[in-house]
Amino acid sequence: MSLRLAVLGAGAVGGSVLDLAGDYGHDVVAFADSSSSAVDPAGLDPSAVHDRKERDGVVGEAAPEAVFDADYDVLVEATPTTLGDAEPGFSHVERALADDRHVVLANKGPVAERYADLRALEAESEGTVQFEAAVGGAIPVLSTISDLGAPHVTAARGVLNGTANFILSRMAAEGLDYEHVLAEAQDLGVAEADPTFDVDGIDAALKFVILANVLSDGETEYALDDAEVEGIRNVPGTALDLAAEDGRTVRLIGEATADGVRVAPRLIPQGSALSVTGTQNIVQLETKHAGQLNISGRGAGGPETATAVLSDVSRLE
Amino acid sequence: MSAQDLDGGSDAETDGSGEMPKPHTIRLELVDEPGQLLAALKPISDNGGNLLSIFHERGSLTPRGHIPVEVDLECPPDRFERIVEALREAGVNVIRAGAEHFGEEVMVILVGDIVDSDLSDTLHRIESSADATLQDLSLSAREGTDEASSARLRLAVRSGRVDETLSVVRDLAAEKGLHVVEPLAEGSQ
């Protein structure tokens, strides 16, 4: 069945959803950036929208809010993640649910910071909320947990920030210091000009907070403030040298367990499943009856994250 | 650079080669007959081992129908092999008694002004308050950079005391302005 998508957020993820929706048999009928929107009940032409954005800095004539008046089935919320009240993302979700539409989130804010509020709104709506894209990009983490059943998964741990992992694995492989590798990562576009979110562990923590919320299945609500978070700025090359001498390495590891959420640089054996290199991500699920499951892949990027968004959309059919 | 250089070459406690008694764990299987436990313990005391605790799982049986017993003992490092030999000579079935099974081993890396923060005091306090034994210490500093130096500590810890040890290390590090890179205990295979 073809669904009509309204996409909020014209960054890498939103733009890729616009490009790839047709490949999944869906139409994007509304598309908005922070200042404008384009609406076409027959489905937008991706290249025309991208051209307009490049040429005029807007995606269309209408105001962003016009998206909500379009005739759509699923709201794709792909605006930048914000902390605290998770606005404006949260209000976007609230509005779509009030209109009994489905919501697919790529934005981590509402699921990490206001999980209970979100679930309460969902309970009163005909629509449902999906957020596979918020955790681990293309890696099907949440759908795997859903298949296993959250009560059968006792813990999730792993590497869910490609920037921090790129920096640590390159420092270890090349014997370079943090500042040097960070500058290189910024040149390559792997790290942003302001890398705080990634190198201080906040991005990874948000994802593990989401996992904790999902695993706790409504019993305990977690938010970023509940997480113990330490980034990688205090991991010098000397620590990686010493780890390597003993067959170990250091990775920014997140954990969502019954004890809560923790993100910190940790010593792990070289060559172990969690010692992924570069921007690769991995999640390890600890199951009650079936041991460990490891799922790895690309945890970020426009088409990768859009793939998770469109998988969520397909689940709504 | 070794621990001794920093310590001023003082003590044998930190270099792991002295005669200080160290804790060990031996796992035995006993046949369910009277007197078996006593017979198994005699070779330990006869050979200079000091029994710390005996965990006798009488209710549970091994796949071979024997009773598993875990013995914690303390002895100078050079006596341990002799104790295991004596047990085997006495016909006791020793399941696990290798260096890697003597309780648990924990590795941590401390980062910061390792030397200025009195390394010797740090090590001493970890050993005394965490009931852990330092097995190995390595230091790394890169000359000509302003990168922080690091110290890798390998600690032998009594079974079940890993969390407690890590918590002692964390508190000490916080007090001295050091950062700790802790091991990931589970799931790293």
Side-chain angles (χ1 to χ4, degrees), chain A residues 164 196-206 224 229-232 252 263:
Chain A
T196 309
F197 237 56
D198 297 314
V199 299
D200 285 350
I202 301 163
D203 173 74
L206 288 170
L224 184 60
V229 188
E230 192 188 328
I232 62 166
L252 184 65
V263 172

Side-chain angles (χ1 to χ4, degrees), chain A residues 115 145 149-151 153-156 210-218 256-257 285:
Chain A
Y115 191 73
I145 292 174
V153 179
T154 53
I210 295 171
L211 284 169
N213 279 325
V214 170
L215 292 180
S216 128
D217 217 9
T257 66
L285 299 176

